[in-house]
């Protein structure tokens, strides 16, 4: 049994040593997301009714901004990896996912297909499969030359026997995640009805900043857990 408290503390200490501070790196990601949100709201509208009435161009912008936002989010993996290895993390790490966009989309599609098949039978098999492939992004970051199937196989091997530990790690972040979404939830509840939809969208996006910081922290902590798991599997763990 791993100490999740120790894992979280260790990951936080590592992130604090980053030459490019996490608040600034996450702030850049948030700024780009604000621009994407503005572009999406202007071209596609705010609601699904607006989206379907915006035409082909509006739907294209909606899909494109969503894809860019997703790929940017994956930059946290490369940032955390560099910081953990004692290397200098760069703002350019934010765009790491764009170098492997087709491989990433292929892995995500195949993973989603397998998990959906598991969920179509019972809830538990789908959840197990989601944890089975939990480390695929880290595997890709370690060795981008691996193929799609090999990435999933490697992730399955790494998580084998430790799925409950990963689940418990998720649960240990529940309280922090809950606190992080409080500003967003309050705004969603108390936002003036007369506020312009674009302003509301931008403020809502800005208020996700605390959750963004927690997400980076959770990623770094998950990497800590993965390192300990690999040390055990490779027989190099220190007891």
């Amino acid at each position: 049994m791993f100490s999740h408290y120790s894992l979280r503390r260790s990951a936080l200490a590592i992130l604090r040593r980053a030459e490019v501070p996490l608040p600034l790196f996450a702030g850049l990601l948030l700024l780009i997301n604000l621009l994407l949100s503005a572009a999406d709201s202007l071209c596609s509208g705010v609601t699904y009714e607006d989206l379907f009435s915006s035409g082909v161009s509006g739907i294209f912008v909606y899909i494109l901004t969503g894809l860019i936002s997703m790929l940017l989010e994956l930059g946290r993996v490369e940032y955390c990896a560099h910081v953990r290895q004692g290397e200098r993390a760069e703002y350019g790490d934010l765009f790491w996912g764009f170098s492997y966009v087709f491989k990433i989309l292929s892995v995500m599609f195949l993973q989603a297909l397998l998990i959906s098949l598991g969920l179509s039978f019972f809830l538990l098999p789908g959840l197990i499969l989601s944890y089975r492939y939990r480390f695929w992004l880290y595997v890709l970051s370690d060795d981008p030359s691996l193929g799609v199937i090999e990435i999933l196989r490697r992730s399955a091997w790494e998580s084998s026997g430790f799925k409950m530990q990963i689940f418990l790690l998720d649960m240990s972040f529940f309280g922090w995640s809950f606190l992080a979404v409080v500003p967003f939830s309050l705004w969603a509840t108390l936002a003036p009805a007369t506020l312009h939809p674009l302003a509301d969208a931008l403020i809502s996006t800005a208020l996700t900043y605390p959750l963004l910081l927690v997400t980076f922290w959770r990623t770094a902590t998950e990497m800590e857990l993965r390192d300990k798991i690999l040390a055990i599997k490779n027989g190099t763990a220190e007891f």
Side-chain angles (χ1 to χ4, degrees):
M1 175 70 72
F2 300 112
S3 169
H4 298 127
Y5 174 74
S6 298
L7 290 172
R8 293 197 307 271
R9 284 194 61 184
S10 176
L12 194 59
I14 291 172
L15 289 174
R16 285 173 174 167
R17 296 200 299 264
E19 293 185 51
V20 175
L22 174 57
L24 294 181
F25 189 87
L28 175 60
L29 173 56
L30 181 66
L31 177 60
I32 298 175
N33 280 334
L34 283 170
L35 296 175
L36 292 172
S37 179
D40 184 27
S41 297
L42 290 173
C43 299
S44 310
V46 178
T47 66
Y48 282 111
E49 289 78 10
D50 296 334
L51 173 62
F52 289 113
S53 63
S54 63
V56 176
S57 60
I59 295 175
F60 173 77
V61 171
Y62 175 79
I63 295 174
L64 181 62
T65 54
L67 177 60
I68 293 174
S69 181
M70 180 198 71
L71 291 174
L72 288 171
E73 288 285 349
L74 301 183
R76 73 180 184 275
V77 173
E78 196 70 359
Y79 174 86
C80 293
H82 283 161
V83 173
R84 285 176 46 75
Q85 294 165 6
E87 302 171 353
R88 177 179 172 80
E90 303 287 352
Y91 289 108
D93 290 341
L94 195 59
F95 305 98
W96 168 77
F98 291 86
S99 300
Y100 310 102
V101 57
F102 295 111
K103 184 172 291 187
I104 287 172
L105 292 178
S106 298
V107 176
M108 291 183 69
F109 173 79
L110 182 55
Q111 179 186 219
L113 178 62
L114 292 172
I115 292 173
S116 297
L117 288 174
L119 290 172
S120 66
F121 291 100
F122 294 100
L123 178 63
L124 186 58
L127 291 175
I128 292 174
L129 284 172
S130 69
Y131 281 98
R132 176 183 175 87
Y133 303 125
R134 181 63 169 268
F135 292 150
W136 75 268
L137 264 176
Y138 310 139
V139 174
L140 175 61
S141 178
D142 288 346
D143 189 357
S145 67
L146 292 176
V148 172
I149 301 299
E150 187 56 34
I151 288 173
L152 291 178
R153 284 177 177 170
R154 178 73 185 183
S155 175
W157 176 78
E158 291 182 3
S159 62
S160 177
F162 293 92
K163 296 180 184 65
M164 181 56 69
Q165 293 296 322
I166 305 171
F167 172 77
L168 292 176
L169 181 65
D170 285 343
M171 292 300 98
S172 74
F173 271 97
F174 178 81
W176 291 104
S177 299
F178 177 81
L179 291 174
V181 300
V182 167
F184 175 84
S185 301
L186 288 176
W187 175 258
T189 304
L190 305 174
T194 56
L195 190 66
H196 191 280
L198 176 58
D200 182 44
L202 292 177
I203 293 173
S204 298
T205 301
L207 291 176
T208 62
Y209 184 64
L211 183 60
L212 190 58
L213 293 176
V214 172
T215 302
F216 273 85
W217 182 21
R218 186 185 59 77
T219 296
T221 306
E222 197 170 277
M223 287 181 167
E224 283 282 294
L225 174 61
R226 177 178 178 249
D227 280 354
K228 290 188 177 297
I229 291 173
L230 290 179
I232 293 174
K233 285 183 174 285
N234 293 326
T236 59
E238 296 181 1
F239 297 97

